[in-house]
């Protein structure tokens, strides 16, 4: 009897050990993503695991979870479950809240809605909440920003966030990254150009939209700085597209340039009230390291697709412009008015 009892205890102990330490994740994949939303309770989690067929044996998981008091320690977030994984391994990760961060790649976004929509697909937060926060004057004022300049906070780069990061913490981290970006060296470069960091971002957003050729961006930045210093209209077509919210425009006519908006640099001197996109670091550096020259105008260069022809005088600029539009006419692309910059 004693021997039989010992054997039985041994079997039970082995079975219990196997249930705790043996593989219990049914997903036969290298990694599986589990998203536990904020406010979820244990019943919700069990249903989530059941719906996604994560566990081989729900009973053993439930028993160990109860023993470890996990039902009272649910932590939301994004967890990557690897195969194989035991109940002990799984609960160790979930109880500790050891989330796997989400990589967020900030590229060029033109509007808050576009940015918020992208973030809303990557993180738990609601895109509407983020958009509202980026228009909250009181909240932004604490960061030295306004609704018009809020997009300047988002320096294009790759960042890591926990999936359940709130909208406020998200913006707060981006504000912190913005401050890190503006080193003393960059601030001094901005001062040397007669600009504040925000103004550099705004001008860089125009440069970003004007050319995809990184090697000519410092030249374009120099043209705009020359115009700013002389109090001339920037007459930047990208600002018109932003003003009318039509980013697919290929031809700018008088109806567009006459559109009443503080962003229309055909009507208003100086820089727009805020960036017209989230400019790349290259565009920002192009403004900080803008070329010093006497160019005041530029238009598309017919000899180098994608590049621009620069001119010091309006007469020279018109010569380049006429050649460009003559080429466009031959191609059947008729323009309503010649470019003025």
């Amino acid at each position: 009897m004693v021997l039989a009892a010992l054997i039985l205890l041994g079997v039970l102990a082995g079975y219990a050990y196997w249930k705790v330490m043996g593989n219990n994740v049914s997903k036969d994949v290298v990694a599986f993503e589990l998203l536990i939303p904020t406010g979820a309770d244990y019943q919700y989690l069990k249903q989530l695991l059941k719906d996604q067929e994560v566990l081989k044996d729900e009973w053993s998981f439930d028993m160990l979870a109860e023993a470890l008091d996990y039902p009272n320690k649910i932590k939301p977030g994004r967890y990557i479950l690897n195969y194989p994984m035991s109940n002990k391994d799984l609960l160790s990760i979930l109880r500790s809240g050891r989330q796997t961060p989400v990589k967020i790649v900030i590229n060029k976004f033109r509007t808050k809605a576009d940015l918020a929509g992208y973030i809303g697909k990557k993180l738990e937060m609601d895109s509407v909440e983020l958009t509202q926060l980026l228009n909250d004057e009181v909240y932004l004022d604490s960061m030295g920003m306004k609704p018009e300049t809020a997009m300047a906070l988002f320096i294009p780069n790759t960042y890591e966030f926990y999936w359940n990061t709130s909208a406020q913490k998200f913006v707060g981290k981006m504000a912190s990254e913005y401050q890190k970006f503006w080193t003393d060296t960059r601030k001094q470069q901005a001062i040397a150009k007669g600009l504040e960091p925000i103004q550099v971002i705004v001008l860089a957003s125009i440069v970003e939209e004007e050319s995809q050729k990184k090697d000519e961006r410092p030249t374009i930045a120099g043209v705009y700085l020359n115009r700013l210093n002389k109090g001339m209209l920037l007459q930047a077509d990208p600002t018109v597209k932003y003003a009318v919210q039509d980013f697919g425009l290929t031809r700018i006519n008088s109806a567009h340039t006459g559109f009443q908006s503080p962003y229309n640099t055909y009507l208003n001197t100086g820089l727009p009230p805020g960036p017209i996109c989230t400019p790349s670091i290259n565009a920002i550096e192009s403004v900080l390291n803008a070329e010093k020259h006497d160019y005041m105008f530029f238009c598309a260069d017919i000899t180098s697709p994608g590049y621009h022809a620069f001119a010091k005088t309006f007469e020279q600029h018109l010569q380049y412009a006429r050649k460009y539009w003559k080429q466009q006419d031959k191609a059947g692309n008729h323009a309503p008015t010649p470019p003025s910059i």
Side-chain angles (χ1 to χ4, degrees):
M1 290 292 293
V2 174
L3 180 60
L6 290 175
I7 292 174
L8 179 60
L9 287 174
V11 171
L12 291 175
Y15 177 77
Y17 178 85
W18 177 74
K19 284 296 185 180
V20 172
M21 303 301 294
N23 173 48
N24 194 36
V25 173
S26 63
K27 298 290 183 180
D28 192 6
V29 292
V30 175
F32 175 72
E33 181 183 65
L34 180 68
L35 301 176
I36 304 177
T38 300
D41 59 14
Y42 186 59
Q43 293 303 315
Y44 181 95
L45 173 66
K46 286 206 299 182
Q47 189 61 48
L48 183 65
L49 293 173
K50 183 177 182 180
D51 291 343
Q52 298 189 31
E53 300 179 344
V54 174
L55 302 176
K56 289 182 177 180
D57 178 39
E58 296 178 21
W59 179 83
S60 62
F61 175 84
D62 197 41
M63 291 294 289
L64 185 58
E66 292 287 350
L68 296 174
D69 195 31
Y70 177 61
N72 296 315
K73 299 177 181 179
I74 304 296
K75 294 181 180 179
R78 173 179 180 260
Y79 301 92
I80 299 300
L81 311 182
N82 297 304
Y83 178 88
M85 179 176 285
S86 68
N87 286 324
K88 181 177 179 295
D89 295 333
L90 176 54
L91 283 165
S92 177
I93 292 175
L94 298 181
R95 288 178 75 247
S96 66
R98 295 200 305 270
Q99 294 190 54
T100 301
V102 178
K103 289 187 181 297
I104 299 292
V105 180
I106 301 294
N107 287 315
K108 183 171 73 175
F109 292 96
R110 294 188 175 97
T111 67
K112 296 172 186 175
D114 288 343
L115 172 66
Y118 168 75
I119 299 301
K121 293 178 181 178
K122 294 289 185 177
L123 303 178
E124 183 186 24
M125 75 178 71
D126 181 50
S127 60
V128 174
E129 182 184 1
L130 179 56
T131 301
Q132 291 174 340
L133 200 61
L134 294 177
N135 287 308
D136 188 325
E137 294 184 7
V138 176
Y139 176 72
L140 293 172
D141 184 63
S142 66
M143 302 176 181
M145 292 289 176
K146 301 177 181 179
E148 295 81 7
T149 58
M151 289 290 279
L153 292 171
F154 303 95
I155 306 295
N157 212 328
T158 300
Y159 304 93
E160 287 191 346
F161 290 90
Y162 287 128
W163 176 73
N164 59 322
T165 298
S166 67
Q168 192 160 336
K169 287 186 177 181
F170 173 76
V171 177
K173 179 175 178 178
M174 294 308 301
S176 177
E177 294 293 336
Y178 174 85
Q179 295 298 331
K180 291 179 184 178
F181 176 81
W182 283 104
T183 62
D184 289 339
T185 298
R186 286 191 172 115
K187 288 178 181 178
Q188 289 302 316
Q189 288 178 300
I191 292 173
K193 294 293 186 293
L195 302 172
E196 297 178 359
I198 288 293
Q199 293 176 310
V200 171
I201 297 288
V202 174
L203 182 52
S205 71
I206 298 175
V207 173
E208 175 80 28
E209 293 282 65
E210 284 284 14
S211 177
Q212 297 302 307
K213 303 298 184 181
K214 295 180 179 180
D215 55 334
E216 75 165 4
R217 284 176 174 174
T219 310
I220 292 176
V223 172
Y224 283 129
L225 285 173
N226 288 343
R227 287 192 156 225
L228 284 172
N229 292 333
K230 288 184 178 295
M232 296 173 61
L233 291 168
L234 294 186
Q235 294 185 320
D237 287 355
T239 67
V240 176
K241 295 180 182 180
Y242 186 88
V244 300
Q245 290 289 287
D246 187 348
F247 303 108
L249 278 176
T250 57
R251 292 290 181 268
I252 304 296
N253 59 34
S254 58
H256 302 128
T257 58
F259 185 80
Q260 291 294 328
S261 168
Y263 287 89
N264 186 349
T265 57
Y266 275 82
L267 299 179
N268 306 285
T269 57
L271 292 166
I276 60 174
C277 72
T278 51
S280 63
I281 292 177
N282 173 266
I284 297 171
E285 296 287 2
S286 293
V287 173
L288 294 176
N289 298 285
E291 288 184 12
K292 292 183 178 181
H293 51 59
D294 297 324
Y295 296 131
M296 301 300 296
F297 309 91
F298 64 90
C299 72
D301 188 346
I302 63 173
T303 63
S304 301
Y307 283 91
H308 295 81
F310 297 87
K312 298 178 180 179
T313 66
F314 187 63
E315 290 72 21
Q316 183 183 23
H317 169 63
L318 282 180
Q319 292 179 16
Y320 291 143
R322 290 188 182 110
K323 290 180 181 179
Y324 173 75
W325 290 121
K326 184 178 181 180
Q327 181 193 62
Q328 291 298 298
D329 287 340
K330 287 183 177 180
N333 301 320
H334 303 291
T337 55
S340 57
I341 185 171

